Amino acid sequence: MSESSFSDLRAAYLLGEEITVADLPDLTDVVTARTAYGAVYSASVVEGSVAIPELPPGTHALEARSRDGEILAEEFVSVRPFIGDDPVMGFVTSFDEASRPSVLAWLRQLRCTVVQVYDWMASYSTPLATTPSYHDPLGRPIERSALEMLIRGIRDLGAVAQAYAPVIAADEVVANAHDEWRLYRTDGAPQSLGDLLQIMDPGNGEWQRHWIENYGRAVDELGFNGFHLDTYGYPRVGLTSDGESASIEQGYESFIRAVRDARPLDVVSFNQVNGVPRGLEPPTSPSFRYVEVWPPNAQWRHLEGLLQRSAGESPRQGDTLAIYPAVWGEEREAALHTGVLSEAVTTTLGANTLIWGDDFGVLCHPYYVDHEQLRGEEIDKVLEWHRFGLRCRDLFRGETDTSWYELSDENASVTVDASATTSPEPVGGSLYVRVVRSDDLVVVSVLDLTGSRNGSWSEGTQRGTVVEANVSILVDSPETWHADVAILGHDAGRFDAIDTVQCSLREGSGATCSVPLVGGWSVLRLARTRA
């Protein structure tokens, strides 16, 4: 796809909003929006522009086609009831004018709908700078005008510019002036993060009001339209200034409510580090659940349980995992493969990932400034995997995940035969298979993890060895079902029809086909054909 194709297309639209595209390739005859389920919405081109009204919620592939059906350009759009719902995440840490064009270009290529702007503040307690030039808390120089232009550029892409905003961090001057706002250790000493910052009680109403006033003013003046409420995974226990036990979980819940009441329109996320507090109810919309991943959740197979513990009884709400694969050394190909597989695994679990962003960057450290920068063909590989995930992501949301009880046992209703052991969880050395089913749809994702020794997102991963998998699925009346497959590395990962034949399974007839693995990930979609 050329750089100019669909260049005026925003990344995100609200449900019911008309999608308008004016910058179309030459020879465009029709523009279609295609859902992950295969439904197609068409609009004709009039004088070089097109409008597609009332698309359903989801991530859709927008295609510009010529009169003979050739796809001239393709792009992805996210349609949601609330801005920031089910986000495609990115991050930025570079605020200088020189890097801004490439930062925005990368975010656009990723189709980011929410971008976390990291460490932009003048201080933790009073984030808004009073001078045109200032330094962040770790001494990085920042030009306010350049930061504002970056924020404006992010919003022009159709993305939320989300201000990184630590919930319990204060500078020493403010903390010393307000001992009653602090949290204390069980030995009576003040809680702190080394010499960098002091820890405040999130449930203290005066601290909440101070925080909301100062961060609210900064967000309004700089142009942000969201907050990422950051925490550190501790303290787990704390004392107030009068020696009483402070409930950290209740304090966080109180803090979130206070922010939401004061800022009802901003997109809010709250960092449940490693799922803490467990089962926390996320802010009301517009918002999404956000979890930073750390050991002992060091393997891909841990992510499913982490997502479940984080949500508890609360409904899933755009769950996003922030993963920092600290694998970048001399074996860059293995490091990159770990990154794209981490995103792919998370996608099959029905969640989102924060890994990519800034100036062709990839996270590898919790201090986002210390990220790795992609080079040359690495950028193309990330985009290939990332966009394949965008094409398929809706298939893993909303339907029933049946992987753990209908896959590959003696009573299996879905079997996958390949040159490697298959597994319903993402373990090293396996062909990782995920099954999602409804009355009229069966989705089978096949992801090659045979190049991983330990199934860990913190180790380098080699390319897998599986080239195809034979998939058989129990369905009633197999002749009434139609199969499509999306193959990473083939036809831009688009879904194409694939032939099936009838087979026998323990409980009756099914449909079977051979699914190629060209790039290491394929998704089979079997849908009932309606008369």
Side-chain angles (χ1 to χ4, degrees):
M1 188 179 74
S2 67
E3 287 293 323
S4 62
S5 298
F6 290 149
S7 63
D8 60 339
L9 183 67
R10 304 199 313 271
Y13 293 80
L14 293 177
L15 187 62
E17 182 181 3
E18 189 175 77
I19 295 179
T20 302
V21 186
D23 188 4
L24 300 175
D26 294 340
L27 304 180
T28 299
D29 181 64
V30 67
V31 173
T32 60
R34 189 179 301 272
T35 74
Y37 297 93
V40 177
Y41 297 79
S42 298
S44 298
V45 177
V46 179
E47 296 182 354
S49 65
V50 66
I52 303 179
E54 298 186 9
L55 288 177
T59 302
H60 311 310
L62 206 67
E63 302 169 349
R65 292 177 177 267
S66 65
R67 187 175 298 276
D68 61 5
E70 178 187 0
I71 296 180
L72 304 173
E74 182 182 55
E75 196 52 277
F76 293 91
V77 294
S78 178
V79 178
R80 306 292 171 187
F82 295 96
I83 186 172
D85 277 6
D86 203 8
V88 180
M89 284 291 297
F91 73 94
V92 292
T93 66
S94 299
F95 310 145
D96 58 287
E97 293 184 8
S99 65
R100 185 168 59 250
S102 56
V103 168
L104 293 175
W106 180 228
L107 296 175
R108 186 184 190 283
Q109 287 177 290
L110 293 168
R111 303 306 290 163
C112 290
T113 62
V114 175
V115 178
Q116 186 183 131
V117 182
Y118 182 87
D119 263 15
W120 53 273
M121 65 284 291
S123 73
Y124 295 116
S125 304
T126 52
L128 185 64
T130 58
T131 58
S133 301
Y134 63 99
H135 290 79
D136 76 5
L138 289 180
R140 284 197 310 154
I142 296 176
E143 294 290 333
R144 175 169 166 169
S145 61
L147 173 62
E148 290 175 336
M149 291 183 68
L150 176 64
I151 294 168
R152 191 178 308 121
I154 291 169
R155 296 187 63 172
D156 287 345
L157 295 176
V160 174
Q162 198 176 41
Y164 172 83
V167 166
I168 53 177
D171 305 306
E172 192 167 335
V173 172
V174 169
N176 288 341
H178 297 280
D179 289 339
E180 71 279 11
W181 295 358
R182 285 179 180 257
L183 272 179
Y184 293 84
R185 305 186 332 182
T186 55
D187 61 6
Q191 292 270 16
S192 66
L193 183 60
D195 297 328
L196 179 62
L197 54 86
Q198 305 301 306
I199 302 294
M200 313 305 275
D201 179 3
N204 184 285
E206 292 184 1
W207 166 248
Q208 292 174 3
R209 286 188 287 275
H210 170 89
W211 192 99
I212 291 169
E213 178 183 351
N214 280 274
Y215 275 89
R217 182 187 308 118
V219 162
D220 288 340
E221 291 201 21
L222 294 173
F224 290 107
N225 57 337
F227 292 94
H228 172 61
L229 307 180
D230 193 35
T231 64
Y232 307 117
Y234 84 99
R236 303 296 175 85
V237 296
L239 303 177
T240 63
S241 59
D242 56 10
E244 298 294 323
S245 177
S247 170
I248 308 302
E249 181 173 347
Q250 291 178 9
Y252 283 145
E253 291 173 348
S254 172
F255 192 97
I256 292 170
R257 286 195 301 272
V259 172
R260 173 49 79 218
D261 288 345
R263 311 286 304 192
L265 301 180
D266 292 311
V267 178
V268 176
S269 58
F270 176 90
N271 190 1
Q272 290 175 259
V273 179
N274 253 4
V276 177
R278 181 174 181 147
L280 181 75
E281 186 174 343
T284 56
S285 292
S287 71
F288 56 94
R289 186 183 300 280
Y290 181 105
V291 178
E292 193 174 74
V293 184
W294 289 103
N297 297 292
Q299 295 176 302
W300 289 313
R301 69 183 184 88
H302 297 149
L303 301 182
E304 184 173 14
L306 177 59
L307 287 164
Q308 293 172 346
R309 289 190 299 275
S310 302
E313 298 301 318
S314 300
R316 297 285 289 271
Q317 187 169 318
D319 295 7
T320 299
L321 299 181
I323 303 177
Y324 316 137
V327 292
W328 291 89
E330 293 185 5
E331 292 190 5
R332 293 185 63 89
E333 184 176 356
L336 183 64
H337 209 54
T338 296
V340 296
L341 285 172
S342 296
E343 182 177 33
V345 167
T346 307
T347 299
T348 66
L349 297 175
N352 310 309
T353 315
L354 176 60
I355 295 181
W356 322 111
D358 205 67
D359 189 3
F360 299 98
V362 50
L363 291 176
C364 58
H365 192 278
Y367 180 52
Y368 286 12
V369 177
D370 291 343
H371 61 265
E372 185 62 42
Q373 190 171 42
L374 300 170
R375 309 169 185 166
E377 294 181 355
E378 295 172 345
I379 296 170
D380 296 331
K381 180 175 181 179
V382 167
L383 283 176
E384 181 180 40
W385 281 76
H386 178 75
R387 287 172 171 252
F388 189 85
L390 292 181
R391 188 183 303 281
C392 300
R393 69 197 297 247
D394 290 351
L395 298 173
F396 305 103
R397 295 156 163 79
E399 311 298 346
T400 302
D401 188 325
T402 62
S403 310
W404 284 99
Y405 55 82
E406 69 166 349
L407 178 66
S408 294
D409 69 356
E410 65 178 18
N411 299 312
S413 48
V414 177
T415 65
V416 180
D417 296 321
S419 59
T421 302
T422 59
S423 171
E425 64 177 350
V427 295
S430 75
L431 189 66
Y432 164 51
V433 179
R434 209 69 188 181
V435 181
V436 176
R437 185 187 282 267
S438 67
D439 290 342
D440 298 321
L441 179 73
V442 186
V443 176
V444 181
S445 168
V446 183
L447 185 62
D448 189 356
L449 301 182
T450 58
S452 171
R453 291 171 297 176
N454 300 307
S456 175
W457 53 263
S458 57
E459 295 179 355
T461 310
Q462 302 301 320
R463 184 181 176 89
T465 58
V466 180
V467 296
E468 68 175 3
N470 294 313
V471 180
S472 301
I473 303 171
L474 179 70
V475 289
D476 60 280
S477 304
E479 68 279 1
T480 67
W481 292 72
H482 173 78
D484 297 280
V485 65
I487 303 169
L488 179 71
H490 172 72
D491 191 25
R494 299 184 183 95
F495 279 95
D496 293 314
I498 186 172
D499 291 333
T500 63
V501 297
Q502 190 166 316
C503 66
S504 292
L505 296 170
R506 183 176 182 122
E507 294 186 68
S509 298
T512 186
C513 62
S514 180
V515 176
L517 271 82
V518 175
W521 188 11
S522 296
V523 176
L524 177 66
R525 186 179 66 194
L526 189 68
R528 190 190 303 271
T529 302
R530 292 296 185 183

